Amino acid sequence: MRAPDSKAAVAYVLANRLSVEYNVETGWRTSPGGLVSALDSALRGLNVVWVGWRGSPVPEEGRGPHPAPPPGTSSMSVLEIPMSQHEVSHFYDGVCNAAFWPLYHDAVVDPVFRDEEFAVYRRINQRFADCVAASAPLGASVWVHDYQLQLVPALLRAARPDLRIGFFLHVPFPSAAVFELLPWKDSVLHGLLGADLIGFQTGASADRFCEEVCQRAVASRDGRDLVLGESAHPRRVAVDVFPVGPDANRFETLSATPAARDRAARIRAGFGAPEQVLLGVDRLDYTKGIDIRIRAVADVLKSAEYRGRNIQFIQVAMPSRSDLAAYQELRIRVEEVLHSANAELAALGLRPIHYVNEALPTEEIVALYVAADVMLVTSLADGMNLVCKEFVACRGDGSGRLVLSRATGAAEQLQDAWLVAPNDLADVKRGIADALRAGAGESHGRMARMRRAVFGADARHWADSFLARMHQTR
Ligand code: G6P
């Protein structure tokens, strides 16, 4: 990391996932999600060791290959944290994705808390900490990421007090009433407070965290810092806000290639050259509001104002965490809403919604961003959401409109989107209809301001700001 006072020190990045994942069917490919995409671009070319998991369990003795990541798939050195099938189901499926993920997203789905799974969460966090403690040079910087690794800062500090430790939470930190539901809250707060710096996506998350810590008398507040202990040498933990951005230049460059332009034109032609294209791109996750969005679009297309118009909606829903019941139920619910919406549209002779339930490569997503007129991001809760910022980065000609949920971190920076309350069907419909009818003058003005926001705070800026702040902490 760019440590002004320790250029020689190797720095470590800890995230549950490596930048590439392995699956026996697909082989190696880029890992899903905004965290990997932001980190990979922010840290490319730096002397960083990425510590993480390959996204699949180690095969049982004598069963199947466990190949090393092929050279060139990651721009950084890699230290792999292995997990058995049992650990994956308790740590990843259980605590990470059935407890913390729904809880930190306003408990939109009921979280499930199992103590025997939390014991495995603790063990995996210890494994990450041990890996770094055993290999990091004296005084090295370590940057720990997200809800999967909340115990690592304190575990690492206990083993290696010489290390400088930063933690960044990519998802929202919940309200006191929601955090109260967590049976392991003391362990989590203790774990996080092992860091020298804790970063959040929004001021609201940072404030909620500080209030939680102070209200429990774990620490007191001194300006932006938290102060731990009452001894003559209290320890300070800095808390600050670092909104994550995409690699805006890379997306703009990709969107301007003849291949992307040509593919975008073919996508539109393939749908019979619609007057306007609406687009949604998400992991198939219950936090993303996909079912309400489909309902809202269908209602707008059926309305008197738009019924005679030639409008195509494309929804990409990339499979995610499909071993979990909540995700299987979501898939069924989304498909039911889709089928009934398409039946209603067909009855009126209107275009069906085009639904894609597969992982698409970045180049295809970029072509869709270029092909679209109106991007729809209507998450019920979202730490940041990079899709909307990637879309903006791809609109080099200044066209394009964005309908954006107020419940995303991105809404703080993209105030020129058509902002909607994602749970309120009428408001989502209003936002979509307003964006569809906006004139070129208005939408170009809004897009120009959003592009300044996105290019002024990209992935590199995010990492630089975090690391610069981290290096001021000691
Ligand atoms: C979000 C989380 C990440 C996570 C990603 C993909 O962006 O903040 O920590 O990696 O989703 O989810 P997955 O469960 O596939 O890692």
Side-chain angles (χ1 to χ4, degrees), residues 94-107:
V95 177
C96 295
N97 291 329
F100 284 123
W101 178 265
L103 185 82
Y104 282 17
H105 290 89
D106 283 341

Side-chain angles (χ1 to χ4, degrees), residues 17 32-35 92 97 101 146-148 170-171 283 321:
R17 281 186 179 278
L35 179 155
Y92 174 74
N97 291 329
W101 178 265
D146 227 358
Y147 58 98
Q148 301 94 342
H170 291 253
V171 298
R283 281 185 306 103
R321 308 175 188 168

Side-chain angles (χ1 to χ4, degrees), residues 362-380:
T362 306
E363 289 71 18
E364 183 67 5
I365 301 284
V366 166
L368 285 164
Y369 290 153
V370 174
D373 298 289
V374 181
M375 184 82 212
L376 307 179
V377 173
T378 58
S379 314
L380 306 178

Side-chain angles (χ1 to χ4, degrees), residues 16 53 56-57 82-102 111-125 127 147-149 151 184 323-324:
N16 179 47
W53 172 56
S56 55
M83 291 185 213
S84 67
Q85 181 60 59
H86 175 263
E87 288 170 336
V88 171
S89 82
H90 283 53
F91 166 76
Y92 174 74
D93 293 337
V95 177
C96 295
N97 291 329
F100 284 123
W101 178 265
V112 179
F113 305 116
R114 294 197 179 95
D115 285 339
E116 69 276 18
E117 291 180 345
F118 193 65
V120 179
Y121 181 88
R122 200 180 279 285
R123 190 202 305 163
I124 297 294
N125 274 241
R127 191 170 296 161
Y147 58 98
Q148 301 94 342
L149 302 179
L151 307 185
W184 316 307
D323 288 343
L324 272 79

Side-chain angles (χ1 to χ4, degrees), residues 116-363:
E116 69 276 18
E117 291 180 345
F118 193 65
V120 179
Y121 181 88
R122 200 180 279 285
R123 190 202 305 163
I124 297 294
N125 274 241
Q126 185 74 58
R127 191 170 296 161
F128 273 83
D130 289 349
C131 171
V132 174
S135 56
L138 193 71
S141 299
V142 183
W143 192 6
V144 185
H145 290 265
D146 227 358
Y147 58 98
Q148 301 94 342
L149 302 179
Q150 294 174 97
L151 307 185
V152 170
L155 294 170
L156 203 47
R157 175 171 297 281
R160 291 285 307 272
D162 59 296
L163 300 176
R164 190 188 271 121
I165 303 167
F167 180 89
F168 187 80
L169 188 69
H170 291 253
V171 298
F173 190 82
S175 67
V178 171
F179 193 68
E180 183 60 32
L181 302 173
L182 181 67
W184 316 307
K185 40 191 171 296
D186 291 339
S187 303
V188 166
L189 294 179
H190 174 77
L192 293 174
L193 289 167
D196 295 296
L197 169 64
I198 305 178
F200 295 92
Q201 301 273 25
T202 64
S205 279
D207 288 346
R208 287 195 289 259
F209 174 74
C210 289
E211 279 156 25
E212 190 64 43
V213 165
C214 294
Q215 190 253 324
R216 290 175 182 281
V218 182
S220 55
R221 212 162 174 179
D222 179 16
R224 287 188 131 168
D225 290 358
L226 292 167
V227 183
L228 297 174
E230 289 168 2
S231 66
H233 302 290
R235 197 167 71 75
R236 299 179 85 83
V237 178
V239 174
D240 216 332
V241 179
F242 306 90
V244 69
D247 185 344
N249 288 322
R250 172 169 171 256
F251 276 92
E252 182 171 51
T253 303
L254 280 173
S255 71
T257 58
R261 301 268 139 197
D262 182 51
R263 177 71 190 128
R266 279 188 289 118
I267 289 170
R268 288 188 80 108
F271 288 108
E275 181 193 322
Q276 302 218 46
V277 171
L278 301 170
L279 175 67
V281 174
D282 310 82
R283 281 185 306 103
L284 183 51
D285 193 293
Y286 47 75
T287 60
K288 303 293 184 185
I290 300 172
D291 42 356
I292 300 180
R293 185 189 314 161
I294 289 174
R295 189 63 266 151
V297 171
D299 286 355
V300 170
L301 298 186
K302 283 161 45 194
S303 67
E305 183 179 359
Y306 290 103
R307 192 175 300 184
R309 308 273 288 276
N310 190 0
I311 300 172
Q312 177 66 53
F313 176 34
I314 304 170
Q315 174 64 53
V316 179
M318 306 202 219
S320 182
R321 308 175 188 168
S322 37
D323 288 343
L324 272 79
Y327 287 77
Q328 292 159 5
E329 286 157 19
L330 171 76
R331 181 178 172 178
I332 292 168
R333 192 163 74 244
V334 166
E335 287 175 0
E336 280 170 4
V337 173
L338 178 78
H339 290 141
S340 84
N342 276 346
E344 292 165 20
L345 293 171
L348 293 169
L350 299 171
R351 292 171 170 278
I353 294 164
H354 183 68
Y355 180 73
V356 182
N357 180 218
E358 62 185 87
L360 298 181
T362 306
E363 289 71 18

